[in-house]
Amino acid sequence: MTSVRPVQVTFDCADPERVARLWCEVLGYVVPPPPEGFATWDDYNRSLPPEDQGSWFACVDPSGAGPRLYFQRVPEGKVAKNRVHLDVRVGTGLVGEERLATLQAECARLVALGAVCVQVLLADEENESCIVMQDIEGNEFCLD
């Protein structure tokens, strides 16, 4: 029997801390404590060579159940649709107008934090409503 393996989701981005802090808000995640020997993440970053400062950041599920999200600085910008995206399950178990209202409320909260609403997909005979979003660097995700 194979064992379940934990995963980490990695984002390539220009500003790791800024993107990570938005995703903390999206998912209810938290920033882990800085490495041992440092009072703050700023203290840790100042200890690094200039070219490495701010090169990565992470956030974690405070319950320990969800995957760690890791954000790494890359020189190139996003040029096409990301091939993996997260479906943020804010409407689980809800249907119709109640689901749509819940999704729209979360969309409004995230837009105020810098996310972008791309498209509202309304329910049809097969699927319930969902909202296509982008984070502050254009990475696509859905409120589902």
Side-chain angles (χ1 to χ4, degrees), residues 2-65:
T2 61
S3 61
V4 174
R5 302 201 191 313
V7 297
Q8 171 175 281
V9 179
T10 300
F11 289 74
D12 290 347
C13 53
D15 188 346
E17 183 173 353
R18 182 171 178 239
V19 178
R21 290 191 182 279
L22 175 73
W23 278 99
C24 283
E25 291 293 328
V26 172
L27 299 176
Y29 272 36
V30 297
V31 174
E36 190 172 323
F38 297 94
T40 67
W41 280 103
D42 285 340
D43 291 343
Y44 170 75
N45 267 316
R46 283 191 293 274
S47 76
L48 299 173
E51 65 274 10
D52 292 337
Q53 293 177 7
S55 64
W56 67 273
F57 210 75
C59 61
V60 297
D61 176 349
S63 75

Side-chain angles (χ1 to χ4, degrees), residues 13-123:
C13 53
D15 188 346
E17 183 173 353
R18 182 171 178 239
V19 178
R21 290 191 182 279
L22 175 73
W23 278 99
C24 283
E25 291 293 328
V26 172
L27 299 176
Y29 272 36
V30 297
V31 174
E36 190 172 323
F38 297 94
T40 67
W41 280 103
D42 285 340
D43 291 343
Y44 170 75
N45 267 316
R46 283 191 293 274
S47 76
L48 299 173
E51 65 274 10
D52 292 337
Q53 293 177 7
S55 64
W56 67 273
F57 210 75
C59 61
V60 297
D61 176 349
S63 75
R68 178 178 190 254
L69 302 184
Y70 180 78
F71 302 83
Q72 62 185 358
R73 186 175 57 217
V74 296
E76 68 279 356
K78 182 178 177 300
V79 295
K81 183 179 187 280
N82 43 306
R83 295 187 59 165
V84 175
H85 74 261
L86 301 180
D87 289 333
V88 182
R89 307 300 306 272
V90 298
T92 302
L94 302 176
V95 297
E97 291 301 316
E98 182 183 17
R99 178 185 175 87
L100 183 58
T102 299
L103 296 176
Q104 289 175 321
E106 183 63 1
C107 176
R109 185 181 81 83
L110 297 178
V111 165
L113 295 170
V116 174
C117 178
V118 175
Q119 183 178 15
V120 177
L121 300 169
L122 298 175

